[in-house]
Amino acid sequence: MTLAVLKFGGTSVGDARAIRQSAQIACDATARYDHVVVVTSAMGKSADPRDSVKVTDMLLQAARAAAQGDAESYQRARRLLADKHFAAIEGAVPSADDRWRISDEVEQLLNAFETLCASVRVLGEITPRALDAIAGLGERMAARILAGAMRGLGVRSEAFDASDFIVTDNRFQSAAPLMTLTRERTRGRLLPVLQAGVTPVVTGFIAATEQGVPTTLGRGGSDYSASIIAAALDADEVLNYTDVDGVLSADPRVVSDAHTIPVLTAQEMSEMAYFGASVLHPMTIAPLLERNIPLRVKNTFNPSHHGTLIVYRAPEDQRSGVIKAVTAIKNVSLVTVAGAGMRGVPGIAARTFTTVARSGVSVYMISQASSEQSICFVIPRDTAPAVLDALREEFKEEIRRREIDGVTSFDEAAIVTAVSAGLRDTPGVSGRVFGALGSAGINVFAIAQGSSECSISMVVAAAECDQAVRVLHVLTRA
Ligand code: ADP
Ligand code: MG
């Protein structure tokens, strides 16, 4: 018995042609595996320049505008969403009956969108809970269309809403799965379907609380959905289809000659995703780890390319100390708590991070200060004002006594990360990294080594971020 989970990203279902291509890939997979489960994102970018609609973005923008009292935006969004989905149905679903039925379902989901936006407008505010109910509509439309396209290729296929079986906590916008319940419900719902010879097409991104309230797994969350489902079903493999030839050595929009990395360890992949490689949701690997389920990232539009294989043990022939990839996170602030008198005051670090955590902000990296006279850490830029206020309040006595000079932030910052196996064993690597940045005249404001010791991160000025990525990328060829 072999089971594969195939995930298709937004571009892979961005228009009728892409949907036909994804359906063909899924259809071919049903010949190679006993069972296939398909997971889909909402319709994303189309290759057609006249169609610039990315569905989830449009849903969220319209909902936010509605909260501001704007009644126009969501009605216009509805028309654009209808055009995009009906064109996709027309071009990707061959059976007239099926087209009619799916159009009807899409129409109902668009009605739900309009009703939800209308009530958001009346309320004059949008809660994270309402945002999640609206944000997930795109996947529900896409799953129905992709299932119709697969039926057109002769695969028995049916759309499923993951909110019926992926159970999460209630942290709306980035909910965490409750794995025991999820496993039980996913198996209960999907195994009989698979036994009956049907290939389910499941919505990515969306889930629900135990009480059935819709949640989402965070932006890019369909990757996470696919691995949650794969873990629940004890799948043999996850194939994650996107619009590039696998995981590349850098963001191809920044480094034009970035190359495909053939094999990455789970740790390296997690580190890359965490430090900004948007190709996979940062949590994607976690559910697969326990069961060692291999994941392959592949290109929908170049399916014969091997892509990138994620493995759980470093390959024997791995050359340690070679930089494999460079990633970046933009729009961050470097916050510093500093003061010559800090050294004598116990617990400053603990109080600093407790205060940050209380503000509900997660810290990207903490810099290893060479002295005890300062603590530096990096947070999303939009959270900096609130964090600064909270820290100044927390330390107001120490500031008054001049033990702490103050709490400051550098807001034009970016984090650049070099990812590589065996940084620990190869002291020369950090030398090469800093040497390269130094010769390019790029100033490094703070440094941190990842806890897994397969990455090294540096804070640079936002304006120098892309250049820093390109300079470090040269080292991936060394
Ligand atoms: P999908 O909708 O298929 O999930 P995403 O847009 O989420 O696709 O992720 C794929 C995109 O990630 C690529 O088109 C590429 O522009 C971007 N990207 C950024 N960094 C990397 C990287 N290191 N490797 C591959 N793609 C990357
Ligand atoms: Mg994605």
Side-chain angles (χ1 to χ4, degrees):
M1 279 293 266
T2 55
L3 192 161
V5 176
L6 273 60
K7 179 258 171 177
F8 294 98
T11 322
S12 303
V13 292
D15 56 23
R17 194 187 68 87
I19 293 173
R20 288 199 305 270
Q21 170 75 1
S22 295
Q24 187 63 56
I25 288 170
C27 174
D28 294 345
T30 59
R32 279 180 287 125
Y33 299 90
D34 297 317
H35 299 300
V36 169
V37 176
V38 173
V39 175
T40 185
S41 297
M43 292 182 72
K45 208 169 58 192
S46 158
D48 182 346
R50 285 165 304 175
D51 170 9
S52 60
V53 175
K54 290 166 108 182
V55 172
T56 308
D57 289 345
M58 180 162 280
L59 292 167
L60 289 170
Q61 274 160 21
R64 292 206 172 94
Q68 301 298 314
D70 178 349
E72 281 282 297
S73 291
Y74 69 83
Q75 282 165 12
R76 194 178 48 225
R78 187 203 160 119
R79 286 192 295 276
L80 291 169
L81 291 168
D83 288 349
K84 183 165 175 111
H85 289 92
F86 292 136
I89 294 168
E90 199 54 42
V93 182
S95 143
D97 271 1
D98 230 11
R99 281 205 298 274
W100 193 80
R101 201 168 50 82
I102 297 168
S103 299
D104 198 47
E105 288 175 333
V106 166
E107 191 77 44
Q108 284 177 38
L109 290 165
L110 291 172
N111 287 344
F113 166 65
E114 211 174 328
T115 311
L116 284 164
C117 286
S119 37
V120 164
R121 193 176 87 88
V122 170
L123 289 172
E125 66 165 352
I126 185 144
T127 58
R129 177 175 170 152
L131 269 177
D132 275 355
I134 293 171
L137 292 167
E139 277 70 15
R140 296 169 66 188
M141 296 190 276
R144 284 154 177 82
I145 302 173
L146 183 54
M150 286 169 58
R151 286 192 293 272
L153 296 174
V155 179
R156 288 179 60 206
S157 181
E158 223 178 288
F160 287 82
D161 287 345
S163 38
D164 293 341
F165 44 86
I166 298 186
V167 186
T168 66
D169 61 15
N170 64 357
R171 280 189 296 152
F172 298 103
Q173 311 254 276
S174 119
L178 308 176
M179 281 311 282
T180 310
L181 259 180
T182 297
R183 182 177 168 88
E184 195 179 295
R185 289 200 192 165
T186 303
R187 297 179 78 84
R189 192 83 177 95
L190 296 184
L191 288 179
V193 173
L194 293 169
Q195 291 306 331
V198 172
T199 300
V201 178
V202 182
T203 55
F205 185 47
I206 65 174
T209 65
E210 217 180 325
Q211 288 72 35
V213 181
T215 56
T216 64
L217 303 171
R219 290 316 298 271
S222 297
D223 300 319
Y224 196 13
S225 307
S227 38
I228 292 167
I229 292 170
L233 297 177
D234 299 331
D236 296 287
E237 194 172 3
V238 177
L239 298 167
N240 191 303
Y241 281 92
T242 183
D243 58 358
V244 285
D245 289 334
V247 179
L248 306 178
S249 50
D251 187 334
R253 294 163 295 188
V254 176
V255 178
S256 55
D257 63 343
H259 54 270
T260 300
I261 305 168
V263 181
L264 271 171
T265 65
Q267 214 171 47
E268 291 163 341
M269 183 68 244
S270 296
E271 211 77 352
M272 279 186 73
Y274 179 81
F275 283 109
S278 57
V279 61
L280 283 186
H281 185 288
M283 288 301 291
T284 308
I285 302 300
L288 306 177
L289 257 178
E290 195 182 325
R291 291 164 213 278
N292 287 351
I293 301 172
L295 178 146
R296 203 180 266 281
V297 180
K298 285 181 67 80
N299 190 347
T300 301
F301 306 101
N302 187 17
S304 60
H305 193 287
H306 54 74
T308 298
L309 179 65
I310 313 291
V311 297
Y312 298 90
R313 202 178 322 148
E316 292 289 325
D317 61 351
Q318 173 137 311
R319 287 193 302 152
S320 82
V322 174
I323 289 172
K324 283 194 166 176
V326 186
T327 63
I329 307 179
K330 293 182 177 171
N331 302 318
V332 299
S333 289
L334 175 67
V335 177
T336 306
V337 179
M342 265 170 63
R343 198 190 296 260
V345 184
I348 296 273
R351 280 166 64 199
T352 299
F353 294 111
T354 307
T355 306
V356 177
R358 224 187 296 124
S359 313
V361 173
S362 45
V363 172
Y364 286 125
M365 65 174 253
I366 299 171
S367 179
Q368 298 155 332
S370 55
S371 73
E372 271 186 65
Q373 299 186 10
S374 73
I375 296 169
C376 294
F377 58 93
V378 183
I379 53 177
R381 185 186 297 156
D382 58 358
T383 66
V387 167
L388 255 61
D389 284 349
L391 287 171
R392 286 175 184 148
E393 176 62 27
E394 171 71 25
F395 292 123
K396 65 171 185 278
E397 277 308 307
E398 286 79 3
I399 292 172
R400 195 182 56 75
R401 291 200 297 264
R402 306 273 164 97
E403 287 162 0
I404 290 180
D405 297 336
V407 185
T408 54
S409 78
F410 168 48
D411 293 323
E412 300 305 316
I415 303 175
V416 175
T417 301
V419 177
S420 151
L423 275 178
R424 176 179 28 203
D425 317 319
T426 324
V429 176
S430 38
R432 286 212 305 281
V433 165
F434 297 121
L437 291 175
S439 334
I442 295 169
N443 200 1
V444 173
F445 294 89
I447 305 159
Q449 181 144 26
S451 53
S452 60
E453 302 195 49
C454 72
S455 74
I456 180 163
S457 294
M458 289 135 295
V459 176
V460 300
E464 293 181 332
C465 177
D466 286 354
Q467 197 205 346
V469 170
R470 287 191 280 264
V471 163
L472 293 182
H473 186 261
V474 173
L475 301 178
T476 67
R477 304 204 178 272

